[in-house]
Amino acid sequence: DTAVSQTPKYLVTQMGNDKSIKCEQNLGHDTMYWYKQDSKKFLKIMFSYNNKELIINETVPNRFSPKSPDKAHLNLHINSLELGDSAVYFCASSQDFASTYEQYFGPGTRLTVT
Amino acid sequence: KQEVTQIPAALSVPEGENLVLNCSFTDSAIYNLQWFRQDPGKGLTSLLLIQSSQREQTSGRLNASLDKSSGRSTLYIAASQPGDSATYLCAVQLTGTASKLTFGTGTRLQVTL
């Protein structure tokens, strides 16, 4: 019974293409996140949505556009992919954005740009 | 800017040993600190969450402590098992940052038979 799921698990694409990664959580949480883990395994937040509203937008190129159609889904669309976009992208969720709640992570999407 | 460092970067211990992983952060104005484990090729699993008002949290063989004033947290693993082998990450949430987590650099743990 998957709590936070992402599709696809692996994505290989060429430079210049546009791609999307989807995330769904069945925990009834209000807040969802996108994180990027680079080749050195360093994890950094990209975006956060609370009940479909953007609340965190880190310094991320505007080629990255998150979309939350409802509070159970947060998708990430990437335009004009570059080699440096190769990384593992993790989706996460928490009950809301208050400090008292743990974040639960999805299994990750490994994006390789060639 | 909050920086989170974990020492050591890698650790190998024989099964059965007790061990301590360290996490230090530069800005003590935190809401909470969370410990995660990451298995190779997998997502993160939350282990323990310590609120800023708490000193420690325990779950089974795991005990995490928090000393805000010195900017440190430790994760104590008792009677280590091969299944504990993973990368352990700590992450802090600063006050006023609406649930934004800043992650540490991770400690890669190997428990050998």
Side-chain angles (χ1 to χ4, degrees), chain B residues 36-99:
Chain B
F36 296 87
R37 70 174 279 168
Q38 184 175 23
D39 293 282
K42 301 280 178 67
L44 280 68
T45 301
S46 177
L47 298 173
L48 290 163
L49 172 71
I50 311 177
Q51 301 295 337
S52 61
S53 58
Q54 297 174 320
R55 298 283 297 195
E56 64 180 282
Q57 281 283 358
T58 299
S59 176
R61 294 182 295 108
L62 305 180
N63 176 279
S65 68
L66 174 64
D67 184 344
K68 268 181 51 175
S69 59
S70 66
R72 291 182 183 173
S73 175
T74 61
L75 180 66
Y76 175 83
I77 303 177
S80 59
Q81 302 170 358
D84 295 329
S85 299
T87 295
Y88 290 80
L89 295 159
C90 68
V92 299
Q93 180 185 339
L94 284 178
T95 54
T97 59
S99 74

Side-chain angles (χ1 to χ4, degrees), chain A residues 81-109:
Chain A
L81 279 154
E82 301 178 356
L83 292 175
D85 298 332
S86 296
V88 182
Y89 292 84
F90 288 100
C91 177
S93 73
S94 62
Q95 189 162 336
D96 69 26
F97 61 86
S99 63
T100 52
Y101 299 113
E102 296 170 83
Q103 293 189 20
Y104 295 84
F105 281 70
T109 295

Side-chain angles (χ1 to χ4, degrees), chain A residues 64-90:
Chain A
F64 290 78
S65 53
K67 283 191 171 54
S68 182
D70 55 60
K71 70 176 191 177
H73 295 84
L74 180 61
N75 304 323
L76 183 64
H77 187 75
I78 315 171
N79 290 324
S80 303
L81 279 154
E82 301 178 356
L83 292 175
D85 298 332
S86 296
V88 182
Y89 292 84
F90 288 100

Side-chain angles (χ1 to χ4, degrees), chain B residues 6-7 12 14 16 25 42 52 56 60 66 71 82 87 99 102 107 111:
Chain B
Q6 292 184 244
I7 294 173
S12 180
F25 45 93
K42 301 280 178 67
S52 61
E56 64 180 282
L66 174 64
T87 295
S99 74
T102 301
T107 294
V111 181

